């Protein structure tokens, strides 16, 4: 026993020597961040490096952290920045380029899902220049009241009214049919509504929402990738149809007052029993599965419905070393640790969305949670917003045009998309791209 105690003391010595070292990791304040705090205890135990965390609510996350980066601030040593930030992080020198470090440590991007590497790590897109390690895979999916869908009286009513069996929607037409059926319906003595969807104006909400319809209908940002030739892509007839479908869903089938809703508002509406359907990021699904009101067999999960193609809105982030940090060596040590297959497996088990092949290619992965298979399917067809360095300016324009049309009922879908091209053309001209 004494020998074992002495051995244990010796093993702890390096950690004790490093106890004066610490890192601050910056991210959004949400359930996966709490899981990362728990996971990171293992890093501190192994390295002796204390971990501090700066978590900011999603509605303020971009403003706070982009200001931090643009000012060369030293608050963050590690940044789990949104996928759209990778272009600016690389171009403006906010993020450390990681290629040499990856080569030295034997970390290969071949070990991660290709869509995650392209979305979270590489700039320019399609290149092998890496400024982050894929950290948190995510996409927008859907939750539904499985218990309601299974009730014989509800199934009979749906069959009689719609003319087909009630099932998980596979297309956007079916999604609207289901939401319309539940809108205003009395279940267990309470009035229920169809769907909680994204409509928020201030940050990115309605853009993240409306693209769930635009992408499946055929919306593209450019006719030719990298050419910024938007006319006929952004405002194509298919894109117009997708935008009109989203507005139809908003007008027919959302709960009262749902005109400025994003992740939290959708969660609240669904968990309180207001709606039969909820649009939200997969990151929230572990919490839903455990929720005392809607967890267990009460809820089911499905991927974003298709139209002309299968497509899901990308969420998720990579983890980067901030170029202004004085603790880059320790930050790189954290990334090396985080990239290990065993750490990635534990990350998934705690509620983080690992995109390492050691996790997602495990034969047991699709059955590991009620939504694992759907997550993997969604990540195979994800599409993302512009990742240009001026993405924030581009996002503000889309937020305005989409909210004006969908929520404020101004103009037509065609006019909204035409005006969006005008806005983006000015932005790209000012940026020297056109």
């Amino acid at each position: 026993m004494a020998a074992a105690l002495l051995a244990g003391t010796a093993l702890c010595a390096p950690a004790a020597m490093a106890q004066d070292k610490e890192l601050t990791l910056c991210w959004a304040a949400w359930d996966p961040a709490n899981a990362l705090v728990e996971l990171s205890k293992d890093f501190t135990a192994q390295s002796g490096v204390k971990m501090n965390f700066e978590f900011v609510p999603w509605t303020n996350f971009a403003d706070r952290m982009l200001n931090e980066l643009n000012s060369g601030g030293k608050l963050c040593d590690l940044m789990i920045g949104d996928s759209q930030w990778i272009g600016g992080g690389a171009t403006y020198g906010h993020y450390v380029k990681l290629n040499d470090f990856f080569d030295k440590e034997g970390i290969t991007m071949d070990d991660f899902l290709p869509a995650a590497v392209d979305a979270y790590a590489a700039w320019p897109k399609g290149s092998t220049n890496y400024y982050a390690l894929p950290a948190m895979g995510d996409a927008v999916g859907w939750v539904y009241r499985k218990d309601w869908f299974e009730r014989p009286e509800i199934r009979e009513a749906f069959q009689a009214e719609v003319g087909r069996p009630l099932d998980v929607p596979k297309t956007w037409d079916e999604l609207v049919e289901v939401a319309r059926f539940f809108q205003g319906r009395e279940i267990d003595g309470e009035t229920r509504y169809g769907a909680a969807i994204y409509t928020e104006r201030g940050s990115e909400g309605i853009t993240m929402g409306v693209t769930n319809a635009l992408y499946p209908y055929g919306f593209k940002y450019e006719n030719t990738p990298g050419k910024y030739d938007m006319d006929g892509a952004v405002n194509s007839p298919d894109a117009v149809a997708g935008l009109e479908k989203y507005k139809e869903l908003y007008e027919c089938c959302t709960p009262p007052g749902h005109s400025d809703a994003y992740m939290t508002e959708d969660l609240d509406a669904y968990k309180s029993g207001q709606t039969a359907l909820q649009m939200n990021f997969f990151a929230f699904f572990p919490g839903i599965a455990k929720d005392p009101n809607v967890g267990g067999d009460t809820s089911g999960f499905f991927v974003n419905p298709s139209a002309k193609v299968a497509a899901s809105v990308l969420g998720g982030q990579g983890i980067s070393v901030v170029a202004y940090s004085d603790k880059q060596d320790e930050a790189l040590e954290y990334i090396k640790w985080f990239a290990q297959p065993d750490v990635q497996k534990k990350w998934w088990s705690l509620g983080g969305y690992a995109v390492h092949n050691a996790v997602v290619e495990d034969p047991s992965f699709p059955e590991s949670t009620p939504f694992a298979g759907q997550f993997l399917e969604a990540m195979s067809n994800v599409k993302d917003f512009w990742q240009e360095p001026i993405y924030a300016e581009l996002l503000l324009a889309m937020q305005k045009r989409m909210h004006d049309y969908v929520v404020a009922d101004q103009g037509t879908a065609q006019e909204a998309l035409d005006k969006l091209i005008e806005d983006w053309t000015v932005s790209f001209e000012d940026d020297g791209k056109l």
Side-chain angles (χ1 to χ4, degrees), residues 22 65 89 116 200 208 217 263-264 281 375 422:
E22 56 185 67
M65 291 308 169
E200 182 260 0
M208 295 297 101
Y217 273 86
M263 296 175 276
T264 300
F281 286 101
F375 166 69
E422 294 175 7

Side-chain angles (χ1 to χ4, degrees), residues 73-125:
K74 294 183 179 294
L75 169 66
C76 310
D77 303 301
L78 291 158
M79 175 76 76
I80 302 186
D82 233 350
S83 58
Q84 293 97 342
W85 302 5
I86 196 73
T91 302
Y92 302 138
H94 300 323
Y95 294 163
V96 172
K97 189 176 182 181
L98 297 175
N99 289 62
D100 290 344
F101 171 72
F102 286 166
D103 290 343
K104 174 186 174 184
E105 300 296 342
I107 299 171
T108 172
M109 291 297 96
D110 291 341
D111 286 341
F112 295 84
L113 285 176
V117 173
D118 191 55
Y120 309 143
W123 186 261
K125 295 294 97 184

Side-chain angles (χ1 to χ4, degrees), residues 195-222:
I197 64 174
Y198 295 163
T199 57
E200 182 260 0
R201 170 71 175 84
S203 61
E204 63 175 17
I206 197 163
T207 297
M208 295 297 101
V210 76
T211 44
N212 283 282
L214 290 177
Y215 294 151
Y217 273 86
F219 171 95
K220 296 179 181 179
Y221 293 96
E222 307 162 283

Side-chain angles (χ1 to χ4, degrees), residues 58-60 62 200-207 262 395-396 399:
W58 273 112
T59 49
N60 304 318
E200 182 260 0
R201 170 71 175 84
S203 61
E204 63 175 17
I206 197 163
T207 297
Y262 198 16
L395 178 61
L396 287 174
Q399 282 287 106

